[in-house]
Amino acid sequence: MGGSHEKLDPMVHSSDVIDLLSQLIGFDTSNWGGGRAHGELECAEWIAGQLEDIGLEPQILAREDAPVRANLVVRVRGHDSTLAPLLVHGHLDVVPAEAEQWSHDPFTAVVSDGWVIGRGAMDMKDMCAAILSTLLQWGDEGIRPRRDLVVAFVADEEDMGLFGAEWLVADHPRLFSGCRAAVGEDGALWTPVTHADGSTVHLYPLACAERGAMHMRLTARGDSGHGSRPTKDDAAHRLIGAVHRIANHEWPLAMSTVVREQLVQTAEAVGLDVDTDDEDSVLNLIDALGKAAGPLRYTVRGSSTPTMLKAGYKVNVVPSLAQAEIDVRCPPGAELAMSATLDELIGPDVEYEYGVQQNALEAGVDTTWYRAMKRAIEAADPEAVVVPMCMGGGSDGKAFARLGMSCYGFSPVMRDPDGRRPTGIHGVDERNSVIGLRAGQRVLRHFLETV
């Protein structure tokens, strides 16, 4: 389904984050993976037009073999050239939407009842809109940030980043010269949680870490044969055994510094106790937090999830080849131990190889960057309790970290008085809070002006 959008007149642009988000949703930038995507170039060109109108000089970059997989990078000059530049990044692509399951066209934004609904409303055209809104407001008001900002709107985050951040880091590292830190998606989302005394705590988990990713392909081989004559030593049986062991393995606690801090600070904020060396104590806290725990249930340890299985071509033929793909996530520092355990679980009768291997990330919480983000949130919500967190998935931060940057997730969505919080990520009727987004854009602007 093609998206519909009405381009804003570049001479009379809107800098309102909801208007901009609605425009961005109107570009169908679906990414099916494996190089199949569309819409990123048109979206990048529209953003470029907005930025050129306020005197900035954005660059649109794409691989020669994929000119429609566009990225936009622009440097915004600050007042103080002695300060290290900061990278601010967001991705333009979105996961596909099954339009028949939605209440309306997923690529036509609907703003209703305090919500903005459409594909990308929370992943992550909301952050792209907030960044663009801030730049346009500065342009209108003649404001510059303290330090240089490198702003990147990138392609292909929803797949491998090979047309986006990974390619930019490999082929155009000079664009990010001097950057010592980066802020991107998935952090500073208002999370109400009940205190032990019954009051409500305004928790804002700020992403300072990501688990590493190891994607594995398992291959079992054996003689083919007739399905009526099982041997229990064929390719399918061998593969099933290995997959069963991997899927059911109980990984031990392997917490990063950030996750330990998240547990301790969160427990203190809600009036509970936690012993981070005691598994029962950790799990009791997570259970007490309920939905407010977010990805904590997964980030306290590694995980290994079978996601793809393939074997055979006919029901009465024993296959000679069977394959599975496993999504493995590793807490910082746990990669070697997890690899050794996986080797034991797989056993000698099944081959395996690694595809994607991305290191875990962990940025400091006692830094200029973290403190500035915390101050910006607290200035907008005096009741805010900011805690560090580890992302359950991953982001383009893994690519930018290779250039020596400390990478954070900071896409603030602030408190909605009526309790609206983003829902539907990668799902149906994805939506975000109008109030939360407008307040979040002001927080992002405050941070970028003062850091």
Side-chain angles (χ1 to χ4, degrees):
M1 178 181 297
S4 62
H5 57 273
E6 180 181 345
K7 293 187 178 181
L8 295 172
D9 182 340
M11 299 302 293
V12 189
H13 62 249
S14 171
S15 61
D16 177 70
V17 68
I18 303 303
D19 290 345
L20 294 170
L21 175 56
S22 297
Q23 294 283 329
L24 290 170
I25 288 172
F27 291 91
D28 180 352
T29 53
S30 297
N31 186 347
W32 290 273
R36 296 187 304 122
H38 61 72
E40 291 157 332
L41 175 60
E42 291 81 5
C43 190
E45 288 177 335
W46 179 78
I47 294 173
Q50 302 295 301
L51 298 180
E52 288 167 354
D53 188 50
I54 59 170
L56 295 177
E57 299 179 352
Q59 299 180 64
I60 292 180
L61 305 105
R63 284 174 28 173
E64 290 185 3
D65 60 343
V68 298
R69 306 302 305 277
N71 305 270
L72 184 154
V73 180
V74 62
R75 186 173 285 252
V76 181
R77 295 296 178 183
H79 290 295
D80 190 344
S81 61
T82 67
L83 297 174
L86 172 70
L87 170 64
V88 187
H89 61 97
H91 62 84
L92 299 177
D93 61 322
V94 296
V95 297
E98 296 174 295
E100 67 278 3
Q101 297 183 12
W102 284 58
S103 60
H104 69 281
D105 179 353
F107 297 104
T108 298
V110 171
V111 181
S112 177
D113 297 325
W115 295 103
V116 55
I117 308 170
R119 175 58 87 219
M122 63 176 299
D123 185 18
M124 71 169 295
K125 289 181 175 177
D126 57 335
M127 175 65 165
C128 292
I131 298 168
L132 181 57
S133 174
T134 298
L135 297 182
L136 295 179
Q137 289 172 11
W138 285 347
D140 290 340
E141 300 167 23
I143 290 175
R144 292 166 60 196
R146 288 182 66 221
R147 66 180 71 234
D148 282 9
L149 302 178
V150 177
V151 178
F153 297 98
V154 304
D156 203 32
E157 191 275 345
E158 295 292 0
D159 191 26
M160 306 296 293
L162 299 179
F163 300 92
E166 294 285 346
W167 173 72
L168 288 171
V169 166
D171 283 38
H172 297 279
R174 290 185 179 179
L175 291 172
F176 311 102
S177 176
C179 291
R180 294 292 174 264
V183 294
E185 66 180 318
D186 199 18
L189 167 63
W190 168 64
T191 304
V193 59
T194 303
H195 192 278
D197 64 10
S199 61
T200 299
V201 176
H202 298 181
L203 206 64
Y204 290 87
L206 202 160
C208 302
E210 300 180 16
R211 291 192 299 173
M214 298 193 300
H215 294 172
M216 305 181 70
R217 176 179 288 117
L218 276 57
T219 302
R221 306 179 191 276
D223 294 332
S224 59
H226 200 289
S228 67
R229 301 176 182 180
T231 66
K232 295 187 179 181
D233 191 31
D234 55 70
H237 273 87
R238 291 175 179 173
L239 183 73
I240 289 169
V243 170
H244 177 79
R245 291 189 294 272
I246 290 170
N248 289 279
H249 181 70
E250 294 187 8
W251 293 98
L253 292 184
M255 290 181 288
S256 65
T257 301
V258 164
V259 171
R260 287 185 185 274
E261 280 297 310
Q262 182 182 4
L263 288 164
V264 170
Q265 293 184 28
T266 302
E268 181 180 1
V270 300
L272 298 174
D273 295 319
V274 67
D275 179 352
T276 59
D277 292 321
D278 182 87
E279 183 166 354
D280 288 338
S281 177
V282 169
L283 296 182
N284 286 340
L285 173 62
I286 292 172
D287 289 340
L289 293 173
K291 291 183 179 180
L296 256 177
R297 191 174 300 278
Y298 311 105
T299 56
V300 295
R301 64 180 88 241
S303 62
S304 51
T305 309
T307 55
M308 297 178 68
L309 299 169
K310 182 173 68 174
Y313 62 90
K314 198 170 185 293
V315 69
N316 62 344
V317 177
V318 174
S320 61
L321 181 75
Q323 292 184 312
E325 301 210 21
I326 314 292
D327 184 334
V328 179
R329 303 289 170 141
C330 308
E335 290 89 348
L336 291 177
M338 287 190 68
S339 294
T341 300
L342 286 164
D343 184 70
E344 295 176 4
L345 293 172
I346 293 168
D349 297 327
V350 175
E351 305 165 14
Y352 68 89
E353 60 183 345
Y354 289 107
V356 171
Q357 288 186 280
Q358 295 177 322
N359 292 332
L361 302 182
E362 193 163 26
V365 298
D366 185 21
T367 65
T368 296
W369 319 106
Y370 185 87
R371 289 191 293 270
M373 288 183 276
K374 185 173 183 288
R375 285 195 303 269
I377 294 170
E378 292 171 342
D381 184 351
E383 299 179 46
V385 178
V386 180
V387 300
M389 67 165 281
C390 178
M391 291 174 58
S395 77
D396 282 328
K398 287 187 171 68
F400 295 121
R402 293 203 301 276
L403 296 179
M405 299 183 213
S406 297
C407 295
Y408 297 90
F410 186 64
S411 48
V413 178
M414 304 302 289
R415 180 175 68 90
D416 183 313
D418 295 320
R420 299 178 189 88
R421 297 182 71 247
T423 62
I425 184 171
H426 287 205
V428 176
D429 286 347
E430 181 179 349
R431 63 186 62 202
N432 214 326
S433 159
V434 170
I435 292 175
L437 286 171
R438 284 204 171 112
Q441 183 271 322
R442 293 192 292 271
V443 169
L444 180 67
R445 172 175 172 167
H446 177 89
F447 164 70
L448 294 178
E449 286 179 2
T450 59
V451 65

